[in-house]
Amino acid sequence: MALALRPARSGPVASTPSGPSRHHSVSPRRQAVATAVLDLLLLVVAFAVAHVVRFPGELRPASGSFSAGLVEFLTAPVVIVLWMVLLSAFRTRDPRIRSAGCDEYRRLLTASLLTGGVVAVAAYALDVALARGYVAIAFPLGLLLLALGRKAVRTLSARRRSLGRDLADVLLVGDAEDIRYVGRRIIASPTTGYRVVATVTDCVRPGTTLRIDDDVLPVLGGTDQVLDAVRSSGVAAVVVAGAVAGGRERLRRLGWELEELGVELVVSSPIADIDAARVHHRPVDGLPLMHIETPDYGRRTGKRALDVVGAALGLVLLAPVFAVVALLIRHEDGGPVFFRQTRVGRGGEAFSIVKFRTMCTDAEARVAELAEHNEGAGPLFKMKQDPRVTRVGAVLRTTSLDELPQLWNVLVGTMSLVGPRPALPREVALYADFDDRRLLVTPGITGLWQVSGRSDLDWADGVRLDQHYVENWSFLHDVVILARTIPSVLRSRGAY
């Protein structure tokens, strides 16, 4: 979570002696214009479709009266212009809002609803008779197309940024450990649009380097030399990671000084892995305090209803798949179809998880002889080329079909469709600090851990993702994860 402070006025942008900064490749104005053009085209399409559907016949002059749909045809451009103006007024195309988080979509929805309200009031006041069917098609379709258009823009932008394009160079300032933590997150998420090029810290001697995982970044000086570092590196923004010497007053003055250079100040919050929906800003005499809502770990009626309905439908509709898989497993080696294993669920209660068997019948007994080949993270035992996996099992793992019997666990309540990864007892025994917070909710068939890489994840990253889910759960979040699970399964990333 970071707070970006936008310069109040533009100033000369710093550049390196060898030429302009690399962040000049980013063209926010051009991207905003392209987004506006896309919005306009989508709205025109929405109103054209509404007109064709509601008034399928061509405009024909009727004797002494307007032809059907002429009023709507004449008012559509006015409505589109109003919609476009409100989209701009709510800053839906602002580069600091666009392509990150849910704020863009919230503003998009607000601007669209306000457009509909203004049109309704104006039509009533001016006694303009707009066909209800026309309005009922144009506005929902327009909002849907705008949302899909922004999603397409995000996808394209994320793809370009993942290739190292359209990234803004930033300078990290703060304590060495804070720099490593924030830098690691930025480097792991290029889609946010930042690229760390250098650091400023009092913890490492200037002229040396600071390692962040596989990246080695130069240390340009101490915190008193931020402006010199900005001028020499030509960055687009300064990211303050944690506290800086001089406290609030130093940070305030730094913002003013960067303003003169046309460089943005981004302040990283000390609170990590907190969803924006749980954060409420409460200004107190000019001091922006953040109120963090306490998570709700209780059982959720809506979530349980989704689990029961989803699991029941899944078991019924997938019954033929179950039968075919069972026959293939039995035919290969004559062993049992299902594999049962003890896992730890909500509140630390043990339960028996059910899967299709993908390994030979003596798989557990062979763990010791394969221990030196373990490629799993933390206490997990994983091998990409595990000799214990059967031919049918390899296909089941790649396609994640081996997980389907867990729908029974969901139906009886020991698991959920979405939740933290169900932990093994030996994992729980090694939990440190607050790792056991993963046990505050029911484990799931899928979750953030699955859509983010599964077995390819580092152990610490897997724990962090599970904790993030536990503390920031929402019904919509579950729906999004379920939707992301489908392409994740198709890609088979980390499925072995």
Side-chain angles (χ1 to χ4, degrees), residues 329 332 357-359 389-398 402:
I329 294 174
E332 181 167 17
R357 183 174 60 86
T358 60
M359 293 186 174
V389 177
T390 63
R391 288 178 300 174
V392 173
V395 176
L396 296 179
R397 288 187 169 214
T398 302
D402 62 316

Side-chain angles (χ1 to χ4, degrees), residues 399-418:
T399 58
S400 296
L401 289 175
D402 62 316
E403 312 281 353
L404 290 182
Q406 294 175 46
L407 289 171
W408 174 255
N409 289 110
V410 175
L411 190 63
V412 300
T414 54
M415 290 183 65
S416 176
L417 290 177
V418 183

Side-chain angles (χ1 to χ4, degrees), residues 350-479:
F351 70 96
S352 179
I353 196 173
V354 184
K355 293 185 177 185
F356 281 124
R357 183 174 60 86
T358 60
M359 293 186 174
C360 57
T361 54
D362 62 343
E364 291 296 317
R366 297 174 59 185
V367 171
E369 67 182 68
L370 298 172
E372 62 182 25
H373 304 292
N374 182 22
E375 301 173 35
L380 299 179
F381 182 87
K382 289 283 185 179
M383 290 179 61
K384 291 184 178 180
Q385 301 296 329
D386 196 324
R388 301 173 300 164
V389 177
T390 63
R391 288 178 300 174
V392 173
V395 176
L396 296 179
R397 288 187 169 214
T398 302
T399 58
S400 296
L401 289 175
D402 62 316
E403 312 281 353
L404 290 182
Q406 294 175 46
L407 289 171
W408 174 255
N409 289 110
V410 175
L411 190 63
V412 300
T414 54
M415 290 183 65
S416 176
L417 290 177
V418 183
R421 189 182 59 80
L424 291 163
R426 65 173 180 270
E427 295 177 54
V428 177
L430 297 176
Y431 277 171
D433 204 9
F434 290 98
D435 291 350
D436 58 354
R437 291 177 64 82
R438 302 164 74 191
L439 306 179
L440 290 173
V441 299
T442 306
I445 295 179
T446 186
L448 285 176
W449 49 275
Q450 185 176 51
V451 300
S452 301
R454 301 174 70 176
S455 297
D456 287 343
L457 283 177
D458 178 77
W459 167 254
D461 287 336
V463 172
R464 180 179 61 81
L465 288 173
D466 281 343
Q467 290 177 335
H468 179 86
Y469 173 84
V470 169
E471 295 186 2
N472 301 288
W473 175 88
S474 71
F475 188 84
L476 180 60
H477 198 191
D478 274 8
V479 174

